[in-house]
Every structure is written in structure tokens, then in C-alpha cells.
Amino acid sequence: TQDGNWLVKFYSPSCPWSRRFAPTWEKVYSDLQDVLAPKDVFFAEVDCKVDRAICDAADIDGYPTVVYYSAGVNKGEVPGGQSYESLVDFAQNI
């Protein structure tokens, strides 16, 4: 996440909220990836069961959490980050 703008989903596969959110995240990604990549807006996800140190460094205290990074700097959680509309609106206005 050192270059560009990133929306990063932090999740746990054992968390029911993360599993419920997964289709929304996938839809946002599939709808926007080609449109936003030329604008240096990218998507990533971190499995906190596998990459606990990354989640700890990002101060993730619940799942799922979507965080906005710009040039490697954590800019905070995306407001309303679990709704399709909020994520699309935020991503398109970066």
C-alpha cells in the first residue's frame, strides 16, 4: 500500500459478519476495479487469522473493517464501510 490509494478489508474467515460481508466486498471490487485502477485506487484484503501482525499494526479491533490507505498512510476506517453504497461512494470520491 505504499503507492496509490487502497481500500483494505480486514476480516476473519471464522467471523459470521465477515462471511456475510464477503459478497458485498466482492461486488464493490468487481464493479470498480477496472474503473478505479487508472486513478490509482486499488483493493486488497487481509485475513487476520493468517496475518495477525498486520491487523495488530492497523489497530483492527473488529471484523470486517475497511480501512483507507493513501501513500502507505492509514487514513482511517471508511465511513459506513459495510454497505455497498457507502463503499462505492467513498471509492469514487477519493
Side-chain angles (χ1 to χ4, degrees):
T1 61
Q2 292 304 312
D3 296 319
N5 297 291
W6 290 80
L7 296 178
V8 180
K9 175 184 85 166
F10 294 89
Y11 73 101
S12 170
S14 62
C15 168
W17 297 107
S18 291
R19 290 193 305 269
R20 186 174 297 144
F21 177 62
T24 301
W25 179 254
E26 290 299 321
K27 181 159 177 48
V28 170
Y29 173 75
S30 66
D31 289 353
L32 297 180
Q33 68 174 337
D34 293 334
V35 174
L36 296 180
K39 298 178 182 180
D40 288 331
V41 178
F42 306 100
F43 297 86
E45 52 186 52
V46 176
D47 178 342
C48 291
K49 288 242 183 220
V50 173
D51 295 307
R52 183 78 238 160
I54 295 171
C55 297
D56 288 345
D59 283 332
I60 302 304
D61 58 7
Y63 311 117
T65 299
V66 179
V67 177
Y68 169 53
Y69 289 85
S70 181
V73 177
N74 181 333
K75 298 292 188 175
E77 290 185 35
V78 174
Q82 292 184 20
S83 88
Y84 175 85
E85 295 78 13
S86 295
L87 286 167
V88 168
D89 183 58
F90 186 88
Q92 290 177 327
N93 289 296
I94 290 174

